[in-house]
């Protein structure tokens, strides 16, 4: 089954999440916040020598053609916990190709600032960012997306 989270643009410039998030979406939405400078993750991804990136909230690793995102929020202030000791339930893996696709799409969305962004995790763990109102409406009609008109 597809999973989703709807993000609505706020007047302050950021995005508000309209549904409660689990660890998968927590790590994904951390990619799209102001903690990472524009192009920081793209530059990291393109650098073959650097395999780890992140901050106090998310650990990002390149491993075997995949990108592994790990929710670090439980250990944000505990220096004794290694990323390898983290709860496996708070880990999300995606293909390297999908990772760079969503980063490039996010760079475009930073400029165009759509009112609504739907982040979708498909059955095969592929992630997409949907902004087309017709596509978002189709997800809403199928029961996959939060109905922003009822908010």
């Amino acid at each position: 089954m597809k999973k989703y989270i709807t993000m609505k643009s706020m007047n302050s410039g950021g995005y508000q999440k309209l549904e409660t998030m689990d660890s998968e979406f927590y790590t994904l939405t951390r990619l799209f916040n102001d903690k990472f400078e524009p192009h920081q993750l793209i530059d990291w991804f393109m650098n073959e020598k650097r395999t780890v990136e992140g901050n106090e909230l998310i650990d990002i690793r390149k491993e075997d053609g995949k990108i592994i995102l790990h929710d670090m929020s439980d250990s944000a202030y505990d220096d004794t916990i290694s990323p390898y000791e983290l709860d496996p339930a708070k880990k999300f893996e995606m293909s390297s190709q999908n990772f760079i696709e969503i980063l490039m799409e996010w760079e475009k969305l930073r400029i165009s600032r759509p009112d609504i962004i739907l982040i979708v995790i498909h059955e095969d763990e592929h992630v997409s960012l949907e902004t087309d109102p017709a596509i978002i409406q189709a997800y809403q009609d199928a029961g996959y997306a939060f109905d922003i008109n009822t908010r």
Side-chain angles (χ1 to χ4, degrees), residues 52-68:
V52 179
E53 181 61 88
N55 56 39
E56 68 276 0
L57 300 174
I58 181 174
D59 180 73
I60 309 169
R61 294 179 181 272
K62 298 177 198 172
E63 291 182 12
D64 301 324
K66 293 183 178 181
I67 301 297
I68 300 171

Side-chain angles (χ1 to χ4, degrees), residues 123-138:
E123 291 87 349
D124 61 356
E125 301 300 318
H126 180 83
V127 177
S128 63
L129 303 177
E130 305 294 345
T131 58
D132 182 333
I135 293 173
I136 292 172
Q137 186 64 51

Side-chain angles (χ1 to χ4, degrees), residues 20-105:
T20 30
M21 292 189 289
D22 61 12
S23 291
E24 290 173 322
F25 284 108
Y26 179 82
T27 56
L28 285 170
T29 59
R30 296 287 62 107
L31 295 176
F32 312 129
N33 71 19
D34 296 332
K35 295 276 185 180
F36 293 107
E37 297 294 323
H39 291 286
Q40 179 181 352
L41 291 176
I42 294 171
D43 293 343
W44 167 78
F45 181 82
M46 297 301 185
N47 185 333
E48 293 179 17
K49 294 179 183 179
R50 295 185 56 215
T51 59
V52 179
E53 181 61 88
N55 56 39
E56 68 276 0
L57 300 174
I58 181 174
D59 180 73
I60 309 169
R61 294 179 181 272
K62 298 177 198 172
E63 291 182 12
D64 301 324
K66 293 183 178 181
I67 301 297
I68 300 171
L69 308 169
H70 217 126
D71 175 355
M72 301 278 291
S73 60
D74 290 343
S75 63
Y77 304 104
D78 187 349
D79 294 339
T80 64
I81 297 177
S82 159
Y84 297 104
E85 298 171 16
L86 294 172
D87 183 353
K90 294 189 172 194
K91 177 172 85 170
F92 181 73
E93 294 184 21
M94 63 193 318
S95 72
S96 294
Q97 180 64 32
N98 187 203
F99 182 77
I100 195 64
E101 286 170 0
I102 65 168
L103 288 181
M104 299 301 268
E105 182 65 23

